[in-house]
Amino acid sequence: MLQEWLAAVGDDYAAVVWRPEGEPRFYPDEEGPKHWTKERHQFLMELKQEALTFARNWGADYILFADTDNILTNNQTLRLLMGQGLPVVAPMLDSQTYYSNFWCGITPQ
């Protein structure tokens, strides 16, 4: 799916770096593919730091981090976020389960 997307819109971007892994990665003490161990979190942070360093070195004005389970349904999301004029900004992600990107005062509502 990513290859199809990249073929269709990759030229619209100043740079797209894609390095697919051949085999899934497993982590010590992992209980399943959705279990986030300390090592998995560390690996994700290293990937994001690498992407941020790449963007800085490239001279990018913006960088977007979106996990594969995040779906932006408003086609104006990026325009709205950039319009805030802040150095770091993120949308509040709605969830049908207990996931949230906002970890302060979470209630069942």
Side-chain angles (χ1 to χ4, degrees):
M1 184 184 313
L2 183 56
Q3 283 178 307
E4 291 175 20
W5 172 84
L6 194 54
V9 300
D11 291 338
D12 294 341
Y13 295 85
V16 176
V17 177
W18 181 43
R19 296 181 311 223
E21 286 190 13
E23 298 295 323
R25 180 181 298 239
F26 299 98
Y27 300 89
D29 302 322
E30 184 178 57
E31 296 174 8
K34 295 183 179 182
H35 180 230
W36 284 79
T37 66
K38 180 180 177 182
E39 292 83 5
R40 189 176 196 159
H41 278 283
Q42 180 65 35
F43 179 66
L44 180 63
M45 292 301 104
E46 289 170 7
L47 287 176
K48 289 186 176 186
Q49 184 60 52
E50 182 181 336
L52 184 57
T53 300
F54 177 86
R56 282 183 177 146
N57 292 340
W58 185 265
D61 293 320
Y62 305 99
I63 186 169
L64 171 69
F65 291 109
D67 295 331
T68 58
D69 57 352
N70 299 149
I71 301 169
L72 301 178
T73 57
N74 181 342
N75 66 2
Q76 297 299 307
T77 298
L78 295 179
R79 186 179 322 280
L80 293 168
L81 293 173
M82 291 177 5
Q84 296 298 308
L86 298 170
V88 176
V89 64
M92 172 68 84
L93 299 179
D94 185 27
S95 177
Q96 302 303 311
T97 63
Y98 295 111
Y99 174 83
S100 176
N101 66 334
F102 180 73
W103 295 100
C104 181
I106 295 175
T107 68
Q109 289 77 35

Short mmCIF file of all heavy atoms in Angstrom, two decimals, residues 68-93:
data_model
loop_
_atom_site.label_atom_id
_atom_site.label_comp_id
_atom_site.label_asym_id
_atom_site.label_seq_id
_atom_site.Cartn_x
_atom_site.Cartn_y
_atom_site.Cartn_z
N THR A 68 0.86 4.48 12.15
CA THR A 68 0.00 3.80 11.17
C THR A 68 -1.42 3.61 11.66
O THR A 68 -2.32 3.40 10.85
CB THR A 68 0.58 2.42 10.80
OG1 THR A 68 0.71 1.64 11.99
CG2 THR A 68 1.92 2.56 10.12
N ASP A 69 -1.64 3.70 12.95
CA ASP A 69 -3.01 3.55 13.45
C ASP A 69 -3.71 4.89 13.67
O ASP A 69 -4.79 4.95 14.23
CB ASP A 69 -3.02 2.72 14.74
CG ASP A 69 -2.15 3.32 15.84
OD1 ASP A 69 -1.42 4.29 15.57
OD2 ASP A 69 -2.20 2.80 16.96
N ASN A 70 -3.10 5.97 13.22
CA ASN A 70 -3.73 7.29 13.28
C ASN A 70 -4.30 7.62 11.92
O ASN A 70 -3.61 7.51 10.91
CB ASN A 70 -2.72 8.37 13.65
CG ASN A 70 -2.09 8.16 15.02
OD1 ASN A 70 -0.96 8.54 15.22
ND2 ASN A 70 -2.80 7.55 15.95
N ILE A 71 -5.56 8.02 11.89
CA ILE A 71 -6.21 8.37 10.63
C ILE A 71 -6.73 9.80 10.74
O ILE A 71 -7.56 10.10 11.59
CB ILE A 71 -7.39 7.41 10.33
CG1 ILE A 71 -6.88 5.97 10.25
CG2 ILE A 71 -8.09 7.82 9.04
CD1 ILE A 71 -7.97 4.93 10.21
N LEU A 72 -6.19 10.68 9.89
CA LEU A 72 -6.66 12.06 9.85
C LEU A 72 -7.81 12.13 8.86
O LEU A 72 -7.63 11.89 7.67
CB LEU A 72 -5.52 13.00 9.44
CG LEU A 72 -4.29 12.98 10.34
CD1 LEU A 72 -3.21 13.91 9.79
CD2 LEU A 72 -4.66 13.36 11.76
N THR A 73 -9.00 12.46 9.34
CA THR A 73 -10.18 12.47 8.47
C THR A 73 -10.53 13.86 7.96
O THR A 73 -11.29 13.99 7.02
CB THR A 73 -11.40 11.89 9.22
OG1 THR A 73 -11.61 12.63 10.43
CG2 THR A 73 -11.17 10.43 9.56
N ASN A 74 -9.98 14.89 8.56
CA ASN A 74 -10.22 16.26 8.11
C ASN A 74 -9.11 16.63 7.13
O ASN A 74 -7.94 16.69 7.50
CB ASN A 74 -10.23 17.21 9.30
CG ASN A 74 -10.50 18.65 8.92
OD1 ASN A 74 -10.36 19.04 7.76
ND2 ASN A 74 -10.87 19.46 9.89
N ASN A 75 -9.46 16.89 5.88
CA ASN A 75 -8.43 17.19 4.88
C ASN A 75 -7.78 18.57 5.09
O ASN A 75 -6.88 18.94 4.35
CB ASN A 75 -8.97 17.05 3.47
CG ASN A 75 -10.04 18.07 3.12
OD1 ASN A 75 -10.37 18.95 3.93
ND2 ASN A 75 -10.60 17.96 1.93
N GLN A 76 -8.19 19.29 6.09
CA GLN A 76 -7.58 20.58 6.41
C GLN A 76 -6.70 20.51 7.66
O GLN A 76 -6.20 21.53 8.13
CB GLN A 76 -8.68 21.64 6.62
CG GLN A 76 -9.51 21.91 5.38
CD GLN A 76 -8.65 22.44 4.25
OE1 GLN A 76 -7.93 23.41 4.40
NE2 GLN A 76 -8.73 21.79 3.09
N THR A 77 -6.48 19.32 8.19
CA THR A 77 -5.73 19.16 9.44
C THR A 77 -4.37 19.82 9.38
O THR A 77 -4.00 20.60 10.27
CB THR A 77 -5.59 17.68 9.81
OG1 THR A 77 -6.89 17.11 10.01
CG2 THR A 77 -4.76 17.51 11.07
N LEU A 78 -3.59 19.53 8.36
CA LEU A 78 -2.24 20.11 8.28
C LEU A 78 -2.29 21.62 8.17
O LEU A 78 -1.52 22.33 8.82
CB LEU A 78 -1.47 19.51 7.11
CG LEU A 78 -1.16 18.01 7.24
CD1 LEU A 78 -0.42 17.53 6.00
CD2 LEU A 78 -0.38 17.71 8.48
N ARG A 79 -3.19 22.14 7.37
CA ARG A 79 -3.33 23.60 7.22
C ARG A 79 -3.70 24.24 8.56
O ARG A 79 -3.15 25.27 8.95
CB ARG A 79 -4.38 23.91 6.16
CG ARG A 79 -4.51 25.37 5.81
CD ARG A 79 -5.54 25.66 4.73
NE ARG A 79 -5.61 24.69 3.66
CZ ARG A 79 -4.78 24.63 2.61
NH1 ARG A 79 -3.79 25.48 2.52
NH2 ARG A 79 -4.94 23.72 1.67
N LEU A 80 -4.61 23.61 9.29
CA LEU A 80 -5.02 24.14 10.59
C LEU A 80 -3.88 24.10 11.60
O LEU A 80 -3.67 25.05 12.36
CB LEU A 80 -6.22 23.35 11.13
CG LEU A 80 -7.52 23.50 10.34
CD1 LEU A 80 -8.54 22.45 10.78
CD2 LEU A 80 -8.08 24.90 10.48
N LEU A 81 -3.12 23.01 11.62
CA LEU A 81 -2.00 22.90 12.55
C LEU A 81 -0.92 23.92 12.24
O LEU A 81 -0.40 24.60 13.13
CB LEU A 81 -1.42 21.49 12.53
CG LEU A 81 -2.32 20.38 13.07
CD1 LEU A 81 -1.68 19.01 12.83
CD2 LEU A 81 -2.62 20.58 14.54
N MET A 82 -0.56 24.05 10.97
CA MET A 82 0.48 25.00 10.58
C MET A 82 0.03 26.43 10.84
O MET A 82 0.85 27.29 11.18
CB MET A 82 0.85 24.80 9.11
CG MET A 82 1.56 23.49 8.90
SD MET A 82 2.00 23.00 7.20
CE MET A 82 1.58 24.31 6.16
N GLY A 83 -1.26 26.69 10.73
CA GLY A 83 -1.80 28.02 10.97
C GLY A 83 -1.71 28.47 12.42
O GLY A 83 -1.90 29.66 12.72
N GLN A 84 -1.40 27.56 13.32
CA GLN A 84 -1.28 27.92 14.73
C GLN A 84 -0.03 28.75 15.00
O GLN A 84 0.05 29.45 16.01
CB GLN A 84 -1.26 26.67 15.60
CG GLN A 84 -2.54 25.87 15.54
CD GLN A 84 -3.72 26.65 16.06
OE1 GLN A 84 -3.68 27.21 17.16
NE2 GLN A 84 -4.78 26.71 15.27
N GLY A 85 0.97 28.64 14.12
CA GLY A 85 2.20 29.42 14.29
C GLY A 85 3.02 29.03 15.51
O GLY A 85 3.74 29.85 16.06
N LEU A 86 2.90 27.79 15.94
CA LEU A 86 3.61 27.31 17.12
C LEU A 86 4.78 26.42 16.70
O LEU A 86 4.74 25.79 15.65
CB LEU A 86 2.66 26.51 18.01
CG LEU A 86 1.47 27.30 18.58
CD1 LEU A 86 0.47 26.36 19.23
CD2 LEU A 86 1.97 28.34 19.56
N PRO A 87 5.81 26.32 17.55
CA PRO A 87 6.95 25.47 17.19
C PRO A 87 6.62 23.98 17.21
O PRO A 87 7.19 23.20 16.46
CB PRO A 87 8.02 25.81 18.22
CG PRO A 87 7.28 26.42 19.36
CD PRO A 87 6.05 27.07 18.79
N VAL A 88 5.69 23.57 18.08
CA VAL A 88 5.25 22.18 18.15
C VAL A 88 3.74 22.19 18.35
O VAL A 88 3.22 22.89 19.21
CB VAL A 88 5.91 21.42 19.33
CG1 VAL A 88 5.36 20.00 19.43
CG2 VAL A 88 7.42 21.41 19.18
N VAL A 89 3.04 21.41 17.54
CA VAL A 89 1.58 21.36 17.64
C VAL A 89 1.11 19.99 17.17
O VAL A 89 1.76 19.35 16.34
CB VAL A 89 0.93 22.50 16.79
CG1 VAL A 89 1.21 22.31 15.32
CG2 VAL A 89 -0.55 22.59 17.06
N ALA A 90 0.01 19.53 17.75
CA ALA A 90 -0.54 18.23 17.38
C ALA A 90 -2.05 18.27 17.51
O ALA A 90 -2.58 18.97 18.38
CB ALA A 90 0.03 17.13 18.27
N PRO A 91 -2.75 17.51 16.69
CA PRO A 91 -4.21 17.45 16.84
C PRO A 91 -4.59 16.56 18.01
O PRO A 91 -3.84 15.67 18.40
CB PRO A 91 -4.66 16.81 15.52
CG PRO A 91 -3.52 15.91 15.15
CD PRO A 91 -2.28 16.67 15.60
N MET A 92 -5.74 16.81 18.61
CA MET A 92 -6.27 15.90 19.61
C MET A 92 -6.87 14.75 18.84
O MET A 92 -7.74 14.94 17.98
CB MET A 92 -7.35 16.59 20.44
CG MET A 92 -8.08 15.65 21.37
SD MET A 92 -7.06 15.03 22.69
CE MET A 92 -7.21 16.36 23.84
N LEU A 93 -6.39 13.54 19.10
CA LEU A 93 -6.88 12.37 18.40
C LEU A 93 -8.06 11.76 19.15
O LEU A 93 -7.96 11.47 20.33
CB LEU A 93 -5.77 11.34 18.22
CG LEU A 93 -4.56 11.81 17.42
CD1 LEU A 93 -3.53 10.69 17.34
CD2 LEU A 93 -4.97 12.24 16.02
#
